[in-house]
Every structure is written in C-alpha cells, then in structure tokens.
Amino acid sequence: MAALYSFRYIRHLRLASRAKILQTGLMVAATVPAFSAFQAGTLSNSTAAVALGVSVAATGVLVAISVFARQIVGKMTLTESGDALVVSSLDFWGRRKDTHVELGQLVPLTLPAPEDVLKPSLLKLHCYHLSKPLLLFPRHANISDLSRLHAILTRSLSTSASASAPA
C-alpha cells in the first residue's frame, strides 16, 4: 500500500498546530493573573482589556488553524482491494487521522490529462459524505503515480481497479 500522494509539509503543519495549542494555553493561563491583578486594582483597565483581547484572538486563530489543518490531505493511499482511498489528515491535536473514502463517494474532477494534476496549486476534492472538501496541494507533494492519481481523481479508472465502484 504505497502512498499515491504525500504532502511534503505535513510535519511542519503538525508542529504549527501543536505550537498554537501551547501558545493559546499560555495566553489563557496568563489572563487569570491579569484578571486577579485587575480585581486588586494594580492593573489598569486598558492593560486588562489587552490581556483578554490577546487570549480571545489566540483562541480564534487556534480554531481557524485547526479547521484548516483538518482539511489538508497529508497522505492518500489506495487500499489493497483498489475500491477505496485511505486519506490521512490531522485532527485538532495534530495527530494523524485516517478516513476511508470509497472511490464512488468522490466527486470527479475535470482534469483532461495527468499532467494537469500538477498545474493548480490547490485542488479541492469533494466527497459526497463529507461536509467540507479535502485540500490537495499537488505542487508541494510527492506523487508516486501521477497517472493513477489522475484516474482516481477523475474517476476514469480501468474496470479491474474499480469493479465495485459505481460510475
């Protein structure tokens, strides 16, 4: 089961996701002493408001990064039977999460030639059972078999590879 698609910077994204969790935790933890100092009267209103604003902003950025990171495909592998993909992405905590996607659940892309997979910097892969699209970055990925990946994304597989997948 060799990977058809592998995003080069998934480890960097994982590190950024985990660092953002740590930074948000530290900012929220720093808000507690700031609020205590404000209650004691040793901290001005504007300084307390800045501390609270930084905590809220850090939390908002954490949510945005985690939503974006969950959509990025880190690795895409065809199963042994050839009727489904194992799509790996990151969860909220930066851990790998595998999702099994049957080939019949993919919305086909319109890419005339296998080389056209590499042209866009972002491909949105829609699945009928997923609410958000999966994001592929072909220019920043290692693609082991370009023609096979093209066949999967356009659903133009040979009958032996997709005998159980609906057309």
Side-chain angles (χ1 to χ4, degrees), residues 8-62:
R8 287 187 204 127
Y9 304 111
I10 196 70
R11 288 187 178 144
H12 302 339
L13 184 63
R14 179 181 185 178
L15 178 65
S17 178
R18 289 186 174 186
K20 190 62 190 165
I21 291 171
L22 177 64
Q23 188 238 355
T24 302
L26 291 173
M27 290 296 110
V28 170
T31 304
V32 174
F35 184 70
S36 297
F38 171 71
Q39 291 289 353
T42 59
L43 198 63
S44 68
N45 289 346
S46 60
T47 307
V50 167
L52 181 63
V54 167
S55 291
V56 170
T59 305
V61 172
L62 171 66

Short mmCIF file of all heavy atoms in Angstrom, two decimals, residues 8-62:
data_model
loop_
_atom_site.label_atom_id
_atom_site.label_comp_id
_atom_site.label_asym_id
_atom_site.label_seq_id
_atom_site.Cartn_x
_atom_site.Cartn_y
_atom_site.Cartn_z
N ARG A 8 4.37 17.32 1.45
CA ARG A 8 5.73 17.47 1.98
C ARG A 8 5.79 18.17 3.33
O ARG A 8 6.65 17.90 4.15
CB ARG A 8 6.60 18.26 1.00
CG ARG A 8 6.99 17.51 -0.21
CD ARG A 8 7.98 18.31 -1.04
NE ARG A 8 7.90 17.84 -2.41
CZ ARG A 8 7.71 18.61 -3.46
NH1 ARG A 8 7.61 19.90 -3.32
NH2 ARG A 8 7.64 18.09 -4.66
N TYR A 9 4.89 19.11 3.56
CA TYR A 9 4.98 19.97 4.74
C TYR A 9 3.99 19.59 5.83
O TYR A 9 3.67 20.43 6.68
CB TYR A 9 4.79 21.43 4.31
CG TYR A 9 5.78 21.85 3.26
CD1 TYR A 9 5.37 22.12 1.97
CD2 TYR A 9 7.14 21.93 3.56
CE1 TYR A 9 6.28 22.49 0.99
CE2 TYR A 9 8.05 22.30 2.59
CZ TYR A 9 7.62 22.57 1.31
OH TYR A 9 8.53 22.93 0.35
N ILE A 10 3.54 18.36 5.86
CA ILE A 10 2.57 17.95 6.87
C ILE A 10 3.19 17.97 8.27
O ILE A 10 2.52 18.31 9.25
CB ILE A 10 1.94 16.58 6.54
CG1 ILE A 10 0.67 16.35 7.36
CG2 ILE A 10 2.92 15.46 6.72
CD1 ILE A 10 -0.48 17.21 6.98
N ARG A 11 4.47 17.66 8.37
CA ARG A 11 5.13 17.70 9.68
C ARG A 11 5.22 19.13 10.19
O ARG A 11 5.07 19.39 11.39
CB ARG A 11 6.52 17.07 9.60
CG ARG A 11 6.45 15.58 9.46
CD ARG A 11 7.80 14.94 9.55
NE ARG A 11 7.65 13.49 9.46
CZ ARG A 11 8.49 12.71 8.86
NH1 ARG A 11 9.58 13.21 8.31
NH2 ARG A 11 8.28 11.42 8.82
N HIS A 12 5.48 20.07 9.30
CA HIS A 12 5.53 21.48 9.69
C HIS A 12 4.15 21.95 10.16
O HIS A 12 4.04 22.70 11.13
CB HIS A 12 6.00 22.36 8.53
CG HIS A 12 7.36 22.00 8.00
ND1 HIS A 12 8.30 21.28 8.69
CD2 HIS A 12 7.92 22.26 6.81
CE1 HIS A 12 9.39 21.13 7.97
NE2 HIS A 12 9.18 21.71 6.81
N LEU A 13 3.12 21.53 9.44
CA LEU A 13 1.76 21.89 9.82
C LEU A 13 1.40 21.27 11.17
O LEU A 13 0.74 21.90 12.00
CB LEU A 13 0.77 21.44 8.74
CG LEU A 13 -0.67 21.83 8.93
CD1 LEU A 13 -0.82 23.35 8.93
CD2 LEU A 13 -1.53 21.22 7.85
N ARG A 14 1.84 20.04 11.39
CA ARG A 14 1.60 19.38 12.67
C ARG A 14 2.28 20.15 13.81
O ARG A 14 1.69 20.37 14.86
CB ARG A 14 2.12 17.95 12.61
CG ARG A 14 1.95 17.18 13.86
CD ARG A 14 2.51 15.78 13.72
NE ARG A 14 2.22 15.03 14.92
CZ ARG A 14 2.55 13.79 15.09
NH1 ARG A 14 3.16 13.12 14.14
NH2 ARG A 14 2.25 13.17 16.21
N LEU A 15 3.51 20.57 13.59
CA LEU A 15 4.25 21.33 14.59
C LEU A 15 3.56 22.68 14.86
O LEU A 15 3.40 23.09 16.01
CB LEU A 15 5.69 21.56 14.14
CG LEU A 15 6.56 22.38 15.08
CD1 LEU A 15 6.77 21.65 16.40
CD2 LEU A 15 7.88 22.70 14.43
N ALA A 16 3.12 23.35 13.80
CA ALA A 16 2.43 24.64 13.96
C ALA A 16 1.11 24.46 14.71
O ALA A 16 0.76 25.28 15.57
CB ALA A 16 2.18 25.28 12.60
N SER A 17 0.41 23.39 14.43
CA SER A 17 -0.85 23.12 15.11
C SER A 17 -0.63 22.90 16.60
O SER A 17 -1.34 23.44 17.45
CB SER A 17 -1.51 21.90 14.48
OG SER A 17 -2.71 21.57 15.13
N ARG A 18 0.37 22.10 16.94
CA ARG A 18 0.65 21.84 18.36
C ARG A 18 1.21 23.07 19.06
O ARG A 18 0.90 23.32 20.23
CB ARG A 18 1.61 20.67 18.48
CG ARG A 18 0.93 19.36 18.13
CD ARG A 18 1.81 18.19 18.37
NE ARG A 18 1.06 16.97 18.16
CZ ARG A 18 1.53 15.78 18.40
NH1 ARG A 18 2.76 15.63 18.86
NH2 ARG A 18 0.79 14.72 18.19
N ALA A 19 2.04 23.84 18.37
CA ALA A 19 2.58 25.06 18.96
C ALA A 19 1.46 26.07 19.22
O ALA A 19 1.49 26.79 20.22
CB ALA A 19 3.65 25.67 18.06
N LYS A 20 0.49 26.12 18.35
CA LYS A 20 -0.63 27.04 18.52
C LYS A 20 -1.48 26.64 19.73
O LYS A 20 -1.97 27.50 20.47
CB LYS A 20 -1.48 27.09 17.25
CG LYS A 20 -2.50 28.18 17.27
CD LYS A 20 -1.82 29.53 17.36
CE LYS A 20 -2.83 30.61 17.63
NZ LYS A 20 -2.21 31.84 18.07
N ILE A 21 -1.63 25.35 19.97
CA ILE A 21 -2.34 24.88 21.17
C ILE A 21 -1.60 25.32 22.43
O ILE A 21 -2.20 25.84 23.37
CB ILE A 21 -2.53 23.35 21.14
CG1 ILE A 21 -3.51 22.96 20.03
CG2 ILE A 21 -3.02 22.83 22.49
CD1 ILE A 21 -3.59 21.48 19.77
N LEU A 22 -0.28 25.15 22.42
CA LEU A 22 0.54 25.56 23.56
C LEU A 22 0.46 27.07 23.79
O LEU A 22 0.26 27.54 24.91
CB LEU A 22 1.99 25.13 23.35
CG LEU A 22 2.98 25.55 24.44
CD1 LEU A 22 2.65 24.88 25.75
CD2 LEU A 22 4.40 25.22 24.00
N GLN A 23 0.57 27.83 22.69
CA GLN A 23 0.53 29.29 22.81
C GLN A 23 -0.83 29.76 23.32
O GLN A 23 -0.91 30.64 24.17
CB GLN A 23 0.83 29.93 21.45
CG GLN A 23 1.01 31.43 21.54
CD GLN A 23 0.04 32.21 20.68
OE1 GLN A 23 -0.72 31.65 19.92
NE2 GLN A 23 0.10 33.50 20.80
N THR A 24 -1.90 29.15 22.85
CA THR A 24 -3.23 29.53 23.32
C THR A 24 -3.40 29.20 24.80
O THR A 24 -3.95 30.00 25.57
CB THR A 24 -4.32 28.83 22.48
OG1 THR A 24 -4.13 29.17 21.12
CG2 THR A 24 -5.71 29.23 22.92
N GLY A 25 -2.91 28.04 25.19
CA GLY A 25 -2.98 27.67 26.61
C GLY A 25 -2.23 28.65 27.49
O GLY A 25 -2.71 29.03 28.57
N LEU A 26 -1.04 29.06 27.05
CA LEU A 26 -0.26 30.03 27.82
C LEU A 26 -0.94 31.39 27.89
O LEU A 26 -0.94 32.05 28.94
CB LEU A 26 1.15 30.16 27.23
CG LEU A 26 2.06 28.94 27.39
CD1 LEU A 26 3.36 29.16 26.62
CD2 LEU A 26 2.33 28.67 28.85
N MET A 27 -1.53 31.82 26.78
CA MET A 27 -2.22 33.12 26.77
C MET A 27 -3.44 33.10 27.68
O MET A 27 -3.69 34.06 28.41
CB MET A 27 -2.65 33.49 25.35
CG MET A 27 -1.52 33.85 24.42
SD MET A 27 -0.65 35.32 24.96
CE MET A 27 0.90 34.63 25.47
N VAL A 28 -4.20 32.02 27.65
CA VAL A 28 -5.38 31.93 28.51
C VAL A 28 -4.95 31.83 29.97
O VAL A 28 -5.55 32.45 30.86
CB VAL A 28 -6.27 30.73 28.10
CG1 VAL A 28 -7.36 30.46 29.11
CG2 VAL A 28 -6.88 31.00 26.72
N ALA A 29 -3.87 31.09 30.24
CA ALA A 29 -3.36 30.98 31.61
C ALA A 29 -2.85 32.32 32.11
O ALA A 29 -2.98 32.64 33.30
CB ALA A 29 -2.26 29.92 31.68
N ALA A 30 -2.28 33.13 31.24
CA ALA A 30 -1.78 34.45 31.65
C ALA A 30 -2.92 35.43 31.91
O ALA A 30 -2.73 36.43 32.61
CB ALA A 30 -0.85 35.01 30.57
N THR A 31 -4.08 35.15 31.39
CA THR A 31 -5.22 36.03 31.61
C THR A 31 -5.71 35.96 33.06
O THR A 31 -6.18 36.95 33.60
CB THR A 31 -6.36 35.65 30.64
OG1 THR A 31 -5.86 35.71 29.31
CG2 THR A 31 -7.54 36.60 30.76
N VAL A 32 -5.57 34.80 33.68
CA VAL A 32 -6.05 34.63 35.06
C VAL A 32 -5.29 35.56 36.03
O VAL A 32 -5.94 36.30 36.80
CB VAL A 32 -5.94 33.14 35.49
CG1 VAL A 32 -6.29 32.97 36.95
CG2 VAL A 32 -6.84 32.28 34.62
N PRO A 33 -3.94 35.58 36.02
CA PRO A 33 -3.26 36.54 36.91
C PRO A 33 -3.54 37.99 36.53
O PRO A 33 -3.61 38.87 37.41
CB PRO A 33 -1.78 36.23 36.76
CG PRO A 33 -1.67 34.95 36.03
CD PRO A 33 -2.98 34.68 35.40
N ALA A 34 -3.72 38.25 35.25
CA ALA A 34 -4.02 39.63 34.84
C ALA A 34 -5.38 40.06 35.38
O ALA A 34 -5.54 41.19 35.84
CB ALA A 34 -3.99 39.73 33.31
N PHE A 35 -6.34 39.16 35.35
CA PHE A 35 -7.67 39.48 35.88
C PHE A 35 -7.61 39.66 37.39
O PHE A 35 -8.27 40.54 37.94
CB PHE A 35 -8.67 38.39 35.48
CG PHE A 35 -10.08 38.69 35.90
CD1 PHE A 35 -10.79 39.71 35.28
CD2 PHE A 35 -10.68 37.99 36.93
CE1 PHE A 35 -12.09 40.01 35.68
CE2 PHE A 35 -11.97 38.28 37.33
CZ PHE A 35 -12.67 39.29 36.70
N SER A 36 -6.81 38.82 38.05
CA SER A 36 -6.65 38.96 39.51
C SER A 36 -6.01 40.30 39.87
O SER A 36 -6.42 40.96 40.83
CB SER A 36 -5.79 37.82 40.07
OG SER A 36 -6.42 36.59 39.86
N ALA A 37 -5.00 40.71 39.09
CA ALA A 37 -4.35 42.00 39.33
C ALA A 37 -5.32 43.14 39.04
O ALA A 37 -5.31 44.17 39.73
CB ALA A 37 -3.11 42.13 38.45
N PHE A 38 -6.17 42.98 38.05
CA PHE A 38 -7.18 44.00 37.75
C PHE A 38 -8.17 44.12 38.90
O PHE A 38 -8.55 45.23 39.30
CB PHE A 38 -7.90 43.64 36.44
CG PHE A 38 -9.08 44.50 36.15
CD1 PHE A 38 -8.92 45.83 35.78
CD2 PHE A 38 -10.37 43.99 36.25
CE1 PHE A 38 -10.02 46.64 35.52
CE2 PHE A 38 -11.46 44.78 35.99
CZ PHE A 38 -11.29 46.11 35.62
N GLN A 39 -8.60 42.98 39.45
CA GLN A 39 -9.52 43.00 40.58
C GLN A 39 -8.89 43.64 41.82
O GLN A 39 -9.58 44.31 42.59
CB GLN A 39 -9.97 41.56 40.93
CG GLN A 39 -10.85 40.93 39.90
CD GLN A 39 -12.25 41.55 39.86
OE1 GLN A 39 -12.63 42.37 40.69
NE2 GLN A 39 -13.01 41.17 38.85
N ALA A 40 -7.57 43.45 41.99
CA ALA A 40 -6.87 44.04 43.13
C ALA A 40 -6.59 45.52 42.92
O ALA A 40 -6.19 46.21 43.85
CB ALA A 40 -5.57 43.29 43.39
N GLY A 41 -6.76 46.00 41.70
CA GLY A 41 -6.55 47.41 41.42
C GLY A 41 -5.13 47.76 41.01
O GLY A 41 -4.80 48.93 40.88
N THR A 42 -4.28 46.77 40.80
CA THR A 42 -2.89 47.05 40.41
C THR A 42 -2.70 47.04 38.90
O THR A 42 -1.60 47.31 38.42
CB THR A 42 -1.94 46.02 41.04
OG1 THR A 42 -2.32 44.71 40.61
CG2 THR A 42 -1.98 46.11 42.56
N LEU A 43 -3.74 46.75 38.15
CA LEU A 43 -3.65 46.70 36.69
C LEU A 43 -4.74 47.59 36.10
O LEU A 43 -5.89 47.55 36.55
CB LEU A 43 -3.83 45.25 36.20
CG LEU A 43 -3.38 44.89 34.81
CD1 LEU A 43 -1.87 45.09 34.67
CD2 LEU A 43 -3.71 43.45 34.48
N SER A 44 -4.38 48.41 35.13
CA SER A 44 -5.35 49.35 34.55
C SER A 44 -6.36 48.61 33.67
O SER A 44 -6.15 47.46 33.26
CB SER A 44 -4.62 50.41 33.73
OG SER A 44 -4.04 49.81 32.58
N ASN A 45 -7.46 49.30 33.39
CA ASN A 45 -8.50 48.74 32.52
C ASN A 45 -7.96 48.38 31.15
O ASN A 45 -8.27 47.32 30.60
CB ASN A 45 -9.66 49.72 32.37
CG ASN A 45 -10.47 49.86 33.62
OD1 ASN A 45 -10.35 49.06 34.55
ND2 ASN A 45 -11.29 50.90 33.67
N SER A 46 -7.17 49.27 30.57
CA SER A 46 -6.68 49.04 29.21
C SER A 46 -5.72 47.85 29.15
O SER A 46 -5.76 47.05 28.20
CB SER A 46 -5.99 50.29 28.67
OG SER A 46 -4.89 50.65 29.49
N THR A 47 -4.89 47.67 30.14
CA THR A 47 -3.96 46.53 30.16
C THR A 47 -4.72 45.22 30.33
O THR A 47 -4.40 44.22 29.69
CB THR A 47 -2.92 46.71 31.29
OG1 THR A 47 -2.30 47.99 31.15
CG2 THR A 47 -1.86 45.63 31.22
N ALA A 48 -5.72 45.21 31.18
CA ALA A 48 -6.54 44.01 31.36
C ALA A 48 -7.31 43.70 30.09
O ALA A 48 -7.45 42.52 29.70
CB ALA A 48 -7.50 44.21 32.53
N ALA A 49 -7.79 44.73 29.41
CA ALA A 49 -8.51 44.51 28.15
C ALA A 49 -7.58 43.94 27.08
O ALA A 49 -7.99 43.08 26.29
CB ALA A 49 -9.14 45.81 27.68
N VAL A 50 -6.34 44.41 27.05
CA VAL A 50 -5.37 43.88 26.08
C VAL A 50 -5.09 42.41 26.37
O VAL A 50 -5.02 41.58 25.45
CB VAL A 50 -4.07 44.72 26.10
CG1 VAL A 50 -2.95 44.02 25.37
CG2 VAL A 50 -4.32 46.09 25.50
N ALA A 51 -4.92 42.06 27.64
CA ALA A 51 -4.66 40.66 28.01
C ALA A 51 -5.83 39.77 27.60
O ALA A 51 -5.64 38.68 27.04
CB ALA A 51 -4.40 40.54 29.50
N LEU A 52 -7.04 40.24 27.85
CA LEU A 52 -8.22 39.47 27.45
C LEU A 52 -8.33 39.40 25.93
O LEU A 52 -8.64 38.34 25.38
CB LEU A 52 -9.48 40.10 28.04
CG LEU A 52 -10.79 39.39 27.74
CD1 LEU A 52 -10.78 37.99 28.33
CD2 LEU A 52 -11.96 40.19 28.25
N GLY A 53 -8.05 40.49 25.24
CA GLY A 53 -8.12 40.50 23.77
C GLY A 53 -7.11 39.56 23.14
O GLY A 53 -7.42 38.87 22.15
N VAL A 54 -5.91 39.50 23.69
CA VAL A 54 -4.89 38.58 23.16
C VAL A 54 -5.33 37.13 23.36
O VAL A 54 -5.15 36.29 22.48
CB VAL A 54 -3.52 38.86 23.83
CG1 VAL A 54 -2.53 37.76 23.55
CG2 VAL A 54 -2.97 40.19 23.36
N SER A 55 -5.94 36.82 24.49
CA SER A 55 -6.42 35.46 24.74
C SER A 55 -7.53 35.08 23.77
O SER A 55 -7.54 33.98 23.23
CB SER A 55 -6.95 35.33 26.17
OG SER A 55 -5.91 35.40 27.07
N VAL A 56 -8.45 35.99 23.55
CA VAL A 56 -9.55 35.72 22.61
C VAL A 56 -9.02 35.58 21.19
O VAL A 56 -9.42 34.67 20.45
CB VAL A 56 -10.62 36.83 22.71
CG1 VAL A 56 -11.64 36.71 21.59
CG2 VAL A 56 -11.31 36.77 24.07
N ALA A 57 -8.09 36.43 20.79
CA ALA A 57 -7.51 36.35 19.45
C ALA A 57 -6.73 35.05 19.27
O ALA A 57 -6.84 34.41 18.22
CB ALA A 57 -6.60 37.55 19.19
N ALA A 58 -5.97 34.64 20.27
CA ALA A 58 -5.21 33.39 20.18
C ALA A 58 -6.16 32.20 20.05
O ALA A 58 -5.89 31.27 19.28
CB ALA A 58 -4.31 33.23 21.40
N THR A 59 -7.27 32.23 20.77
CA THR A 59 -8.24 31.15 20.67
C THR A 59 -8.88 31.13 19.29
O THR A 59 -9.08 30.05 18.70
CB THR A 59 -9.32 31.30 21.76
OG1 THR A 59 -8.67 31.36 23.03
CG2 THR A 59 -10.29 30.15 21.74
N GLY A 60 -9.21 32.29 18.75
CA GLY A 60 -9.79 32.35 17.41
C GLY A 60 -8.84 31.84 16.33
O GLY A 60 -9.25 31.10 15.43
N VAL A 61 -7.58 32.20 16.43
CA VAL A 61 -6.59 31.72 15.46
C VAL A 61 -6.39 30.22 15.61
O VAL A 61 -6.23 29.51 14.62
CB VAL A 61 -5.26 32.49 15.61
CG1 VAL A 61 -4.17 31.89 14.75
CG2 VAL A 61 -5.47 33.95 15.24
N LEU A 62 -6.43 29.71 16.83
CA LEU A 62 -6.32 28.27 17.06
C LEU A 62 -7.45 27.53 16.35
O LEU A 62 -7.22 26.51 15.69
CB LEU A 62 -6.33 27.95 18.55
CG LEU A 62 -6.44 26.47 18.93
CD1 LEU A 62 -5.19 25.73 18.50
CD2 LEU A 62 -6.68 26.31 20.40
#
